[in-house]
Amino acid sequence: MFMFSRYISDVAEKYTDKIILQVSKSCVSLYKYNFPQYTIYPDNMPVPESEYDYSTFFMVLPYNLSIDMNHISHSDGWLKVSDETVREKSNFDFLNTDKLKVGIYWQGNPSILKNRSVKLKYFTPLFDIDKIQIYSFQISTVDFESDDLKSQLPMIDLAPYIKNYEDTAAFLKNIDVLITIDTSIANLAGSMGIKTYMLLPYYPEWRWFNDTETTPWYDSVRIFKQKTPGDWSEVINRVKEKLI
């Protein structure tokens, strides 16, 4: 949804200015801010058929618009969050630091992201870098592998302060770089033009075209892809070299 929202303006220009967007309920406030001219429905509320003549999915918009995948447009950030919300988050004391502020997101739904999630233990080399402060953007129940590991890693948990994607977006604007697996927050950050290091498995999803360093989808995203299937240690070491 985040990735293909770049084409909403093209739909309006080519077909109609009357557009209804049905988005995840956790995204409603973010989309109302970005698209105030359109009607926004949460995904748990059906859109009355009398309100539209044609429906499609976000991911099908390139096909609807005859977009050439060799010439992907709008790669410089098209989603924003209000300055007021960003300032609200910036007031938290834990963001008041001279260190490089690094966000991490390492684990998604295991039934969907089995080969994309990374065990937290592989991130431990990053915690050895004195000049950075790490923030966890995980908002759902995650596997910390052990209580000892969780207590040993000095990261700040943002989950208590995030209730929707608008909050996530505001915190992203308050950090310097996001390190994440291939999941929704990677696309949100890319859609906002946030500096992002994305960790990809050896066999990634089709949308990344086997890219190894950059992606035409997002100017602000750098790819760190496994060179050997299952080897996340080497990937994290490359990320660490970028941060040092």
Side-chain angles (χ1 to χ4, degrees), residues 6-171:
R6 73 183 71 207
Y7 296 122
I8 292 173
S9 59
D10 294 308
V11 173
E13 182 178 337
K14 186 172 183 178
Y15 294 112
T16 179
D17 58 1
K18 182 180 180 181
I19 295 175
I20 299 171
L21 302 176
Q22 188 171 40
V23 302
S24 167
K25 62 181 180 180
S26 59
C27 296
V28 169
S29 59
L30 182 65
Y31 273 71
K32 282 186 175 180
Y33 178 77
N34 281 274
F35 304 100
Q37 69 274 45
Y38 304 136
T39 302
I40 312 291
Y41 274 84
D43 58 3
N44 62 344
M45 182 182 297
V47 181
E49 292 186 9
S50 59
E51 291 194 25
Y52 63 90
D53 299 303
Y54 179 81
S55 66
T56 190
F57 294 98
F58 281 97
M59 191 176 256
V60 185
L61 288 179
Y63 175 79
N64 298 147
L65 295 162
S66 300
I67 298 293
D68 181 355
M69 288 292 99
N70 292 316
H71 300 87
I72 295 171
S73 58
H74 311 299
S75 58
D76 56 352
W78 54 92
L79 288 180
K80 297 176 172 56
V81 62
S82 72
D83 292 339
E84 180 182 357
T85 307
V86 174
R87 283 194 300 270
E88 176 189 306
K89 304 306 181 192
S90 70
N91 289 328
F92 286 110
D93 289 340
F94 53 70
L95 286 169
N96 185 18
T97 176
D98 293 330
K99 293 185 176 184
L100 188 76
K101 289 176 279 191
V102 178
I104 63 171
Y105 194 102
W106 67 93
Q107 187 178 101
N109 186 331
S111 66
I112 302 174
L113 308 177
K114 187 173 182 179
N115 73 324
R116 292 186 250 173
S117 293
V118 182
K119 287 188 177 296
L120 182 59
K121 66 181 181 182
Y122 289 114
F123 281 78
T124 53
L126 303 184
F127 290 86
D128 295 331
I129 307 174
D130 291 333
K131 70 175 186 178
I132 72 173
Q133 174 61 60
I134 295 180
Y135 300 83
S136 167
F137 275 78
Q138 299 281 166
I139 58 173
S140 56
T141 302
V142 295
D143 180 8
F144 282 99
E145 289 127 58
S146 73
D147 291 336
D148 286 342
L149 178 61
K150 181 180 180 181
S151 63
Q152 290 169 9
L153 301 181
M155 63 180 168
I156 294 169
D157 183 11
L158 297 180
Y161 313 99
I162 295 176
K163 63 180 182 296
N164 54 37
Y165 274 105
E166 183 180 27
D167 290 335
T168 298
F171 276 119

